[in-house]
Amino acid sequence: MAPASDRPGERGAGSLLFPALLFFFSGFAGLTYQVLWQRELGLLFGNTTHASATTLAVFFLGLALGSWWLGRRSVAMRRPLGAFARLELGIAVSALLVFVLLPLYRALFAPLYDVLGGQSPAFLVAKFLLAALVLGLPTFLMGGTLPVLAELAARRGRGLARGGVLLYAVNTAGAMVGAFAAGFFLPRALGYRGAYGVAMAVSILVGLAAAWRSRSMERDESAPPEQAADGGVAPRLLLLAGVSGFGALALEVLWTRMVALAFQNSVYTFAAVVTVFLLALVIGAGIARAIARRRGTGERVLLILLVLTGVSVAATPYIFWLRVEHPGAVGAGTAWGEYVLANLAVLGVCVLPAAVLLGTVFPYVVRLEELRRGTEAAGARLGRLLAVNTAGALLGAVAAGFVLPGLIGLWGSLALVGALYLLVAAACARSAPLLRAAALALCAGVLIVAWAGRDEARHWNARKGERVLALYEGGSGTVLVVDRRGDLKLKFNNSYTLGGTSEPRWEEYQAHIPLCLHPSPKRVFFLGLGSGITAGAALQHDVKRVRVAEIVPEAVRATREHFGPWTSGLFEDPRASIVVEDGRTVLLGSRETYDVVVGDLFLPWRRGTALLYTVEQFEAVQARLTPSGLFCQWLPLYQLSEEAFRGIARSFLEVFPDATLWRGDFFGRRPIVALVGHKSPGAWDGDATARAWERLEKRGALQEGPSVASLPFLLYAGRLALVREELAGARRITDDMPWIEFEAPIAQRERAAGRAQSFKGRALAEFERRLLRIEDDPFLEGLSPSRKRFVEGGAHLYDLATAPTVGGHELRGRALSGFIRCVPHRVRPDIERWVR
């Protein structure tokens, strides 16, 4: 018969209800900290795979050390609940120190980058040490919370299997709520620092409540009985704990990458995967605890759980392919609410069952450890198991995120992790030969089927009408080169087209336009490589250096191997260099300055992209411009709402007060525009621009199509300062409040459902009309009257492009006559080629 304090419904002195409630909120705060720390250090170190791995390593290493050392100390603690209170308060204080230390590290970052080199192993070590100094203490304290409370549970007669696993499950449930809140609500409502403040407040309240309860429960916090100062754990169980941690984090990473091939790659996708994964761990822990309460359960149960886990993990790719017929099939044409539900349904079918099974393994290992030695030194023994489990999680995250996909691909990695569970089951089944043989046979079957189906896995990535030419997998994601009706396209995670060869002249114009606006561009920097066509076009100018920062190494390799004929010698020209690094990190770390900086077309709903549209990003670029330098940021208006465009424009105008707006084309359906800011504003030197454009024509650099000398003047849309008051009402986009990161994915789905429109068509044309005041615009002071007429002609041409097909006859007539009046016939472009 169980002790009174262990019976359901009892609330006596031995109850764990209050500590468990506190530990739930501790889990909520802990996961919120993790999300925010990863982001803050990403801003400092960059969002490359190596930088992310550095932060991840420090986080898990701190947890592992805290679990081991503080778990060992928990045996001698007089009041475990009081110790837990001190740990929580310590976490809050050390978390506050993070924001004190980060500005100091930002000051050190540039000198270290300059001295050690951004790509050197020494600089990677420096990043690790800086991250360790920032996160080491709070993560160490976090790691000790569960062992300390497990010691409390043991003293209250709950044991490891029931008390320890209950606390583990409750803490994970809190982390699940924290993942959901940190992904869907908190930063969106309060900003990242506000969300961080909520996490700190929760830690403080948990610590104070635990301290109060500890003082009021004198009997429960009595000195521990005489026992060993430490608790040894069987090596076999330590190995199983490590494998469990390795598999869990490896699969979280791999499943996130799997669904990224079919889901919108937004901040919400990551939050949904983590939430469902943690929910599965909670359910798995509950199942393991229920099994542990039955008499006669032992090691054979664990072997069965390992086999079931291995088979279910290996089956996830095939279930995913059956459920998702092709990339983009999930929630196609649905609005935001329906789209989220469709994503959750896929996760529920493809991920949840396997994740529940793997979630039973570690809690059941704890059960076996209790069967071995009872509750003696419970905190120390659980601390050791947690330390090894966390160390395994670190190795799993690194292997799945940065090693395995590049070696055997995503689908092969999933098969390998499934086979690992089966292999471990076979190794542990020495006393069960039939189970051992079955596990080995299944392991071999999983690997054979995965090898045989590798071509099918490759071609699943192609959409209708596409043929996969090459597939590159690595730490950053999946990059595809596909052939679509004879044209090449470069795609990232099946949701983001980086560029293509169907009409390369328009991509080249994204370099030609800003370079022709500078009187003598010699040093040029590109934020983003894409297909390489834009950056390569810069080499057709009289430049001395072209530097390109690309965060996805697989994209660099794909571009080098497949897009060479369209990149103007980008990979061979000694003037050009490509660095695989976060562009912002390069700008912040390097002291080099540039005449022209060009920002690629970045999709605002993609996770992390919003940081390229913040005030701080624009300030980082401005700091690296020469006195006569300019920054050109291209915007895909067909992916932006009017609110989002206004927010970006307002933020840009804050850093570049005399910013101007330029068209990238005259497409009514899929327009792009550029925000151009000068470090030292002045009037436009139209003669220099015309000469630069004529040089390109003479060199044959302008491909067939609209290449008339009047083009730069036709593309000028106006000066943003003329609508400063109108833009003042827009929300600023900052590192702390990148609201576009949360709004853009929702807006994108609403557009897909036909419920909203992007900022294009007549709305854009009317905005440009308010910008264009030719006689009041100081930027146009140096232009001749004929070139000013070209500027007006560009406005008429865009009116023509955006006139509605039905009922727009009068508008089209006015626009066409205005264009003919402003632009002489001898330089008039072929309108049919331009207007779409």
Side-chain angles (χ1 to χ4, degrees):
M1 182 175 178
S5 62
D6 200 46
R7 296 179 193 145
E10 293 285 350
R11 298 292 182 267
S15 173
L16 287 180
L17 176 62
F18 191 73
L21 181 64
L22 295 180
F23 209 33
F24 174 88
F25 287 105
S26 175
F28 171 90
L31 203 288
T32 306
Y33 286 134
Q34 180 184 352
V35 171
L36 300 178
W37 286 335
Q38 189 84 18
R39 184 182 179 280
E40 285 297 322
L41 289 177
L43 287 173
L44 179 60
F45 297 154
N47 288 297
T48 62
T49 53
H50 289 98
S52 298
T54 300
T55 304
L56 200 65
V58 169
F59 184 84
F60 281 114
L61 185 60
L63 291 179
L65 291 174
S67 296
W68 174 77
W69 195 82
L70 291 170
R72 187 180 178 195
R73 299 275 297 175
S74 69
V75 178
M77 291 176 180
R78 287 182 54 83
R79 295 170 177 261
L81 189 58
F84 172 74
R86 291 189 291 275
L87 290 176
E88 286 293 322
L89 293 172
I91 291 168
V93 172
S94 56
L96 179 61
L97 290 176
V98 168
F99 280 98
V100 176
L101 293 173
L102 279 176
L104 298 177
Y105 293 154
R106 287 192 178 96
L108 290 173
F109 186 75
L112 286 173
Y113 187 98
D114 193 50
V115 172
L116 300 178
Q119 303 294 304
S120 69
F123 189 58
L124 193 62
V125 172
K127 286 181 180 180
F128 179 86
L129 293 176
L130 289 175
L133 289 172
V134 172
L135 302 185
L137 180 57
T139 55
F140 178 82
L141 297 175
M142 282 181 182
T145 53
L146 180 53
V148 167
L149 287 184
E151 181 66 26
L152 173 67
R155 294 184 195 179
R156 293 187 177 185
R158 288 301 183 110
L160 277 174
R162 285 181 291 180
V165 171
L166 171 67
L167 291 167
Y168 168 82
V170 167
N171 186 255
T172 306
M176 176 192 71
V177 176
F180 186 76
F184 282 84
F185 297 113
L186 283 179
R188 182 180 175 187
L190 305 174
Y192 280 96
R193 291 191 176 238
Y196 199 77
V198 169
M200 289 175 55
V202 169
S203 293
I204 291 171
L205 290 174
V206 168
L208 293 175
W212 167 78
R213 186 70 168 177
S214 176
R215 290 193 179 94
S216 65
M217 300 294 289
E218 189 72 28
R219 185 168 65 83
D220 286 333
E221 300 292 337
S222 59
E226 289 186 8
Q227 53 188 354
D230 194 3
V233 179
R236 182 169 51 87
L237 295 181
L238 288 175
L239 174 63
L240 288 168
V243 169
S244 174
F246 178 93
L249 260 292
L251 289 169
E252 181 184 349
V253 172
L254 294 172
W255 283 333
T256 300
R257 291 191 49 171
M258 179 181 76
V259 300
L261 297 174
F263 293 3
Q264 185 189 58
N265 283 201
S266 70
V267 63
Y268 299 115
T269 300
F270 177 75
V273 174
V274 174
T275 300
V276 170
F277 184 79
L278 292 174
L279 172 63
L281 295 187
V282 173
I283 297 172
I287 293 173
R289 189 169 183 264
I291 295 173
R293 295 176 73 94
R294 299 179 60 184
R295 294 184 180 277
T297 56
E299 193 166 312
R300 184 177 292 270
V301 173
L302 178 63
L303 298 179
I304 294 172
L305 291 174
L306 287 169
V307 170
L308 292 175
T309 300
V311 172
S312 63
V313 166
T316 52
Y318 306 98
I319 298 172
F320 182 72
W321 296 337
L322 288 173
R323 181 63 180 78
V324 183
E325 295 180 6
H326 59 81
V330 179
T334 60
W336 176 245
E338 297 91 330
Y339 182 74
V340 171
L341 291 176
N343 287 349
L344 292 176
V346 171
L347 291 172
V349 172
C350 302
V351 172
L352 188 65
V356 167
L357 285 169
L358 73 87
T360 64
V361 175
F362 179 71
Y364 202 80
V365 169
V366 175
R367 161 66 172 168
L368 294 181
E369 174 59 22
E370 183 184 55
L371 289 176
R372 193 177 71 90
R373 284 186 56 187
T375 61
E376 178 186 355
R381 289 154 59 206
L382 183 57
R384 286 196 172 189
L385 287 170
L386 278 172
V388 175
N389 181 261
T390 306
L394 167 60
L395 295 176
V398 172
F402 316 108
V403 180
L404 292 178
L407 294 176
I408 57 177
L410 168 63
W411 312 114
S413 300
L414 284 167
L416 186 64
V417 176
L420 174 65
Y421 276 96
L422 294 167
L423 193 61
V424 170
C428 294
R430 289 172 293 183
S431 60
L434 289 178
L435 190 59
R436 180 189 183 97
L440 287 173
L442 287 169
C443 179
V446 164
L447 296 176
I448 291 171
V449 170
W451 176 260
R454 64 189 186 280
D455 288 334
E456 180 183 349
R458 172 191 178 97
H459 292 291
W460 175 87
N461 292 280
R463 300 195 181 205
K464 186 177 181 180
E466 294 179 345
R467 180 169 60 92
V468 177
L469 300 179
L471 184 148
Y472 302 86
E473 294 186 275
S476 301
T478 300
V479 172
L480 292 171
V481 179
V482 300
D483 182 305
R484 185 174 180 85
R485 301 187 185 94
D487 296 317
L488 300 187
K489 286 188 178 295
L490 186 66
K491 302 173 74 175
F492 180 69
N493 280 348
N494 273 323
S495 64
Y496 187 15
T497 300
L498 300 174
T501 64
S502 59
E503 291 188 291
R505 64 176 177 271
W506 296 111
E507 293 192 40
E508 290 183 339
Y509 288 164
Q510 292 170 36
H512 291 328
I513 292 169
L515 265 69
C516 286
L517 292 177
H518 192 283
S520 180
K522 299 301 180 185
R523 306 177 72 85
V524 185
F525 184 86
F526 285 89
L527 287 159
L529 173 67
S531 62
I533 295 173
T534 300
L539 296 170
Q540 298 165 0
H541 296 254
D542 296 326
V543 297
K544 293 182 178 179
R545 176 166 169 76
V546 172
R547 195 176 191 194
V548 186
E550 173 54 56
I551 199 170
V552 181
E554 296 79 19
V556 176
R557 183 181 168 195
T559 301
R560 184 192 302 272
E561 295 179 4
H562 292 273
F563 288 82
W566 295 273
T567 59
S568 305
L570 181 65
F571 295 96
E572 296 81 29
D573 197 308
R575 295 174 295 168
S577 63
I578 299 173
V579 55
V580 179
E581 181 60 272
D582 189 317
R584 183 166 174 178
T585 301
V586 176
L587 291 172
L588 289 173
S590 173
R591 298 180 182 178
E592 189 173 0
T593 56
Y594 302 94
D595 298 309
V596 177
V597 176
V598 181
D600 201 359
L601 292 164
F602 302 117
L603 294 186
W605 45 261
R606 185 176 167 226
R607 184 177 173 224
T609 300
L611 296 174
L612 298 170
Y613 293 136
T614 65
V615 171
E616 292 84 351
Q617 165 71 6
F618 298 149
E619 289 173 341
V621 173
Q622 187 201 51
R624 298 272 69 84
L625 292 176
T626 60
S628 62
L630 66 86
F631 174 41
C632 172
Q633 177 61 65
W634 289 99
L635 303 177
L637 290 188
Y638 55 91
Q639 292 286 357
L640 290 171
S641 66
E642 182 171 357
E643 181 188 19
F645 168 77
R646 290 177 179 275
I648 296 171
R650 186 250 168 108
S651 303
F652 193 89
L653 196 59
E654 185 174 320
V655 179
F656 297 98
D658 291 283
T660 51
L661 183 72
W662 298 75
R663 304 179 191 91
D665 50 49
F666 291 92
F667 298 168
R669 292 186 296 272
R670 293 174 62 87
I672 66 171
V673 298
L675 300 176
V676 176
H678 295 259
K679 183 117 181 214
S680 302
W684 183 4
D685 187 345
D687 290 337
T689 297
R691 287 194 299 269
W693 199 262
E694 288 167 0
R695 281 196 299 270
L696 291 174
E697 288 194 291
K698 290 178 181 177
R699 294 170 181 175
L702 298 175
Q703 299 187 27
E704 181 184 357
S707 58
V708 294
S710 61
L711 178 62
F713 307 99
L714 291 168
L715 293 176
Y716 179 74
R719 187 166 176 258
L720 287 177
L722 295 176
V723 291
R724 190 184 303 275
E725 292 184 5
E726 181 179 335
L727 294 175
R731 289 181 287 171
R732 298 170 72 241
I733 304 173
T734 64
D735 285 351
D736 179 54
M737 182 60 88
W739 57 266
I740 192 174
E741 184 171 37
F742 305 101
E743 302 293 339
I746 299 173
Q748 193 257 353
R749 294 313 312 172
E750 295 300 307
R751 288 194 299 273
R755 297 183 182 179
Q757 293 292 325
S758 57
F759 189 42
K760 61 182 182 181
R762 294 309 305 159
L764 175 60
E766 290 167 6
F767 176 78
E768 290 182 357
R769 279 294 181 184
R770 294 195 295 276
L771 280 183
L772 191 60
R773 305 177 199 169
I774 294 177
E775 300 307 321
D776 298 330
D777 189 342
F779 186 68
L780 303 179
E781 284 180 357
L783 294 190
S784 65
S786 62
R787 286 175 176 156
K788 289 182 178 179
R789 285 196 296 273
F790 287 151
V791 171
E792 185 181 350
H796 289 303
L797 191 58
Y798 195 69
D799 278 339
L800 185 63
T802 58
T805 305
V806 179
H809 179 73
E810 183 179 349
L811 176 59
R812 291 178 66 85
R814 288 200 310 270
L816 183 58
S817 61
F819 177 70
I820 292 173
R821 174 175 51 82
C822 293
V823 180
H825 178 74
R826 61 185 175 82
V827 294
R828 196 177 299 154
D830 182 349
I831 293 177
E832 291 184 359
R833 285 179 176 269
W834 280 43
V835 176
R836 302 182 189 180

